Amino acid sequence: MEAKQEGSAKAEGRAKAVGRRGAGSETKRKGIQSVEIGIGVLDALVRLGRPSSLTDIARASGQSVSQAHRYLASFVNTGFLRQDPATALYDLHTGALRLGLAAMGRLDTFEEASRAAQELVAASGRTVLIAVWAETGPTIIRWYPGNPPVYTMLTIGSHLSLTWSATGRIFLAFLNEGFVSDLLQRELAQDRSEGPVDIDAMRAQTRREMSAAVDGTTAPGLRAFAAPVFNLQGQLVLALSIIASPGFGRDGDAAAREMLIATAREVTHRLGGRWPQPG
């Protein structure tokens, strides 16, 4: 019965997501095709992530060399790109920088994360929260209940453990160690019946899997997964977490975790950040 409830929630969420994508494609505005092709060429250079040759950009954008060259020449003429006279490689220039900085200035980090969190609730049926680092440690700033909702003492403003919560482990693994050291030492000094904690192994696993998981250690009966969101400088800005009560079958946990990681990666990209390689 539990598995059926979760399956139904997932199916409904996925149907909504598909509906949104379908609606977007049906209402696509009529534009200028050459502009769209040019942006595709520019985006190909961005995705390559380095100064690149005409051949590489053409291949990445799906255009012929001659066609890509015309667009690249226009972007060079307008100051969005530059071509190194010694290597003939193309790279971003001041026009692209101005545009990027203007876009970054208009981004609302928490609005982007909140929108993605609500989409994740719709897709998974599970409760989702957003946490940031505060002076007292990982702190919940947004809470989006799933169906069925989670009943717990945790709420907006609650502080979470660095080592015994999935959210805390994200900050433990990806935040500057100098920021977390005092809180970590206080936690480790507490008497814990679970025994000693291997912090290095915990950090390594979280970085390798780009997520963290706990089962019953934050609140009895609750399972949680968390994933990081990074900014343009590769710094951790917040953690997204997804929570399941016993009403959700464990057979859906793996899929929920993958959805969470994909959502965190997407928010990172929306913020202009770079998703690091697992490690």
Side-chain angles (χ1 to χ4, degrees):
M1 182 67 178
E2 294 173 353
K4 288 182 178 179
Q5 288 177 344
E6 185 176 32
S8 176
K10 279 186 190 176
E12 183 179 354
R14 287 170 181 162
K16 290 178 179 178
V18 170
R20 287 194 297 270
R21 288 194 295 270
S25 62
E26 291 172 1
T27 59
K28 185 176 180 180
R29 297 179 181 180
K30 184 177 180 180
I32 301 173
Q33 187 179 22
S34 61
V35 173
E36 296 177 5
I37 294 173
I39 295 300
V41 172
L42 190 62
D43 185 61
L45 176 57
V46 172
R47 287 185 283 107
L48 285 168
R50 63 184 186 280
S52 301
S53 68
L54 170 60
T55 302
D56 287 341
I57 297 170
R59 183 184 301 112
S61 62
Q63 304 298 320
S64 68
V65 171
S66 60
Q67 187 174 25
H69 180 266
R70 289 195 294 272
Y71 285 104
L72 291 171
S74 293
F75 284 126
V76 169
N77 292 339
T78 54
F80 278 80
L81 298 181
R82 64 183 179 87
Q83 186 179 24
D84 190 308
T87 64
L89 298 180
Y90 293 90
D91 201 2
L92 300 177
H93 200 33
T94 53
L97 178 61
R98 287 195 302 271
L99 188 64
L101 289 175
M104 291 293 296
R106 289 166 171 77
L107 274 177
D108 185 326
T109 299
F110 298 117
E111 178 61 28
E112 292 292 338
S114 296
R115 187 181 303 116
Q118 293 174 75
E119 292 172 355
L120 184 56
V121 172
S124 69
R126 303 186 182 204
T127 293
V128 176
L129 64 88
I130 300 173
V132 299
W133 181 259
E135 291 184 1
T136 50
T139 304
I140 300 172
I141 62 166
R142 300 283 193 279
W143 183 284
Y144 300 99
N147 185 24
V150 169
Y151 296 101
T152 174
M153 295 296 290
L154 296 175
T155 185
I156 293 176
S158 293
H159 308 302
L160 298 167
S161 165
L162 275 174
T163 56
W164 300 104
S165 71
T167 299
R169 291 182 183 182
I170 293 298
F171 290 96
L172 180 66
F174 296 104
L175 203 61
N176 186 298
E177 292 186 17
F179 292 153
V180 304
S181 58
D182 289 345
L183 178 59
L184 177 61
Q185 292 308 314
R186 289 197 298 271
E187 285 193 17
L188 295 178
Q190 295 176 358
D191 182 20
R192 281 283 189 176
S193 60
E194 290 85 352
V197 180
D198 189 336
I199 297 300
D200 290 338
M202 187 178 292
R203 279 190 169 117
Q205 180 178 5
T206 303
R207 291 167 181 166
R208 182 174 63 252
E209 299 178 354
M210 294 302 296
S211 63
V214 297
D215 188 345
T217 58
T218 300
L222 297 184
R223 309 187 305 280
F225 302 106
V229 171
F230 301 94
N231 64 13
L232 179 65
Q233 295 177 290
Q235 299 168 329
L236 179 69
V237 290
L238 58 88
L240 282 173
S241 302
I242 190 167
I243 304 173
S245 64
F248 288 90
R250 291 179 180 272
D251 58 344
D253 283 359
R257 187 173 190 168
E258 288 303 314
M259 279 192 282
L260 170 68
I261 295 171
T263 299
R265 185 189 297 113
E266 175 61 26
V267 175
T268 293
H269 291 160
R270 289 183 194 177
L271 297 178
R274 187 178 295 275
W275 187 259
Q277 293 298 318

